[in-house]
């Protein structure tokens, strides 16, 4: 979806709640993260929307539904999550092997984390300490420690795609798209460090 396409999409009456529902339904056309804390830096909270075909993340002013800027990221932004404090946005790029970390104060990429080929969905634990990465191309789930932006553990799951994390943050359910063997895998958050 291009920047002008996003503006048209929003002007048709769609609201962020609808877009969030679409994200939860598993759409890969874009992904969305919402930053309530960003309100302190601007007149309204910002939303971060992955523009899959444009290889960028749009920054949306939620009060006006206007795109403030776009942030270039590696090809195919797929998963987007934000830390609970609204400070950092994590974006996986399935046309690359990285997760980009966006600083919400500057709306720019602060760093990239190497996670292996074709990362898809992301999930963040309720306390914001860990980002889980569905390594579709590596058939692994990886955990990124948000304090260090380092991969701290990984576990094999055939072609993982998207996640849901329990409210206590102890278990993640991962959609596995293994060829001829789709499954729902359960991964304990309390894994050994690598």
């Amino acid at each position: 979806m291009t920047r002008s396409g996003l503006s048209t999409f929003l002007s048709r009456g769609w609201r962020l709640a609808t877009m969030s529902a679409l994200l939860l339904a598993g759409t890969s056309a874009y992904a969305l993260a919402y930053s309530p804390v960003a309100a302190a830096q601007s007149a309204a909270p910002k939303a971060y929307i992955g523009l899959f075909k444009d290889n960028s993340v749009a920054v949306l002013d939620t009060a006006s539904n206007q795109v403030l800027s776009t942030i270039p990221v590696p090809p195919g932004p797929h998963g987007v999550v934000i830390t609970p404090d609204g400070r950092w946005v994590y974006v996986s790029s399935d046309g690359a092997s990285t997760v980009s970390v966006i600083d919400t104060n500057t709306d720019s990429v602060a760093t990239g984390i190497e996670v292996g080929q074709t990362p898809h969905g992301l999930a963040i634990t309720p306390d914001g300490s860990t980002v889980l990465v569905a390594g579709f191309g590596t058939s692994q789930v990886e955990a990124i420690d948000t304090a260090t932006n380092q991969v701290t553990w990984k576990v094999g799951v055939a072609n993982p795609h998207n996640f849901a994390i329990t409210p206590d943050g102890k278990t993640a359910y991962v959609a596995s798209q293994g060829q001829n063997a789709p499954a729902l895998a359960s991964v304990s958050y309390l894994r050994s460090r690598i």
Side-chain angles (χ1 to χ4, degrees), residues 28 31 52 76-80 90-96 98-99 115-123 132-138 140 159-163 175 177:
S28 63
F52 188 83
H78 193 100
V80 180
Y90 289 77
V91 181
S92 62
S93 292
D94 78 359
T98 57
V99 170
V115 295
Q117 171 184 3
T118 322
H120 277 199
L122 299 177
L132 299 178
V133 181
F136 189 85
T138 60
Q140 292 184 348
N159 303 117
H161 191 259
N162 279 322
F163 294 95
Q177 294 183 339

Side-chain angles (χ1 to χ4, degrees), residues 79-81 90-92 99 113 115 119-136 140-146 150-155 157 160-166 169-174 185-191 193:
V80 180
V81 295
Y90 289 77
V91 181
S92 62
V99 170
I113 304 164
V115 295
H120 277 199
L122 299 177
I124 191 164
T125 55
D127 66 3
S129 66
T130 305
V131 171
L132 299 178
V133 181
F136 189 85
Q140 292 184 348
V141 169
E142 297 185 57
I144 297 171
D145 180 329
T146 58
Q150 299 293 314
V151 174
T152 56
W153 57 261
K154 30 180 127 169
V155 64
V157 174
H161 191 259
N162 279 322
F163 294 95
I165 296 180
T166 57
K170 293 182 179 177
T171 305
Y173 293 95
V174 186
S186 173
V187 177
S188 172
Y189 166 71
L190 302 172
R191 301 290 303 181
R193 303 284 186 201

